[in-house]
Amino acid sequence: MTEVLFYHLTESTLEDALPGLLEKSVQRGWRAVVQTGTEERRDALDAHLWTFRDDSFLAHGTDREPHVAEQPVLLTTEANNGNDAEIRFIVDGAAPPDVAAYERAVFMFDGHDAEQLEKAREHWKAMKAGGHAVTYWQQTPERRWERKA
C-alpha cells in the first residue's frame, strides 16, 4: 500500500515548503512528480524552483518540455507518471490519480484556502477508504511538521 501524507500549510506557502521536500525526495534517490491544478501554477512553480535559494540547484522540468522521462522532478497538470516517480505531490487541490503506483503520495494544501481544505478532506476520506496508510501533518508556528493523525 502507498503511504499517503497530508501536509496542512498554516505558517508558510507552498513555494516555501515544497522545495525542501523535493530536495529530500531526490536525496533519497527518488524521482518526484508534482501535480498542480492549473498550467499557470505549474509554470509559476517551475520558475520558482530555479531561484528559491541561492545555494541550491534542483533539477526539474515540466510536462510541456522534451525529455520528460529523464527529469528527477517533473511538474505536471496531468495524472500520468511521465518520469516513473516514486513519490507524487498533489498540490492546489488537484484531482489525484490512482496513487497505488507510488511509494508515497503527498497532498499539500493551504490552510487559509477554504476550497483546498474541503478538497483535502475529500481526498483524505478517499485515501482511507482505499486502504492506504494515511497520516496528517500540520505546521507548527516554527514551520516544523507535527503529526496530528
Side-chain angles (χ1 to χ4, degrees), residues 25-116:
S25 297
V26 171
Q27 288 168 0
R28 286 183 169 198
W30 289 352
R31 288 179 177 264
V33 62
V34 179
Q35 181 183 352
T36 63
T38 66
E39 291 180 358
E40 294 80 16
R41 183 67 151 152
R42 177 202 58 203
D43 295 345
L45 282 175
D46 177 33
H48 178 70
L49 290 177
W50 291 120
T51 61
F52 74 95
R53 199 172 65 225
D54 289 340
D55 65 343
S56 179
F57 174 76
L58 184 58
H60 70 280
T62 70
D63 57 1
R64 62 181 159 77
E65 299 168 355
H67 312 294
V68 166
E70 298 170 21
Q71 299 298 335
V73 175
L74 178 65
L75 306 176
T76 185
T77 59
E78 303 297 322
N80 61 7
N81 186 2
N83 65 341
D84 291 323
E86 290 86 3
I87 184 169
R88 184 175 199 95
F89 291 85
I90 300 111
V91 302
D92 296 331
D98 180 6
V99 298
Y102 300 91
E103 290 189 38
R104 184 175 289 172
V106 179
F107 289 81
M108 298 184 77
F109 57 98
D110 182 344
H112 306 289
D113 182 316
E115 185 177 337
Q116 284 190 34

Side-chain angles (χ1 to χ4, degrees), residues 128-140:
K128 293 270 295 179
H132 298 288
V134 181
T135 58
Y136 168 73
W137 300 80
Q138 186 174 27
Q139 282 185 314
T140 66

Side-chain angles (χ1 to χ4, degrees), residues 8 10-12 24 137-147:
H8 186 163
T10 58
E11 304 299 324
S12 64
K24 287 179 183 178
W137 300 80
Q138 186 174 27
Q139 282 185 314
T140 66
E142 298 81 28
R143 295 184 179 192
R144 297 188 184 275
W145 295 107
E146 183 176 271
R147 184 175 176 170

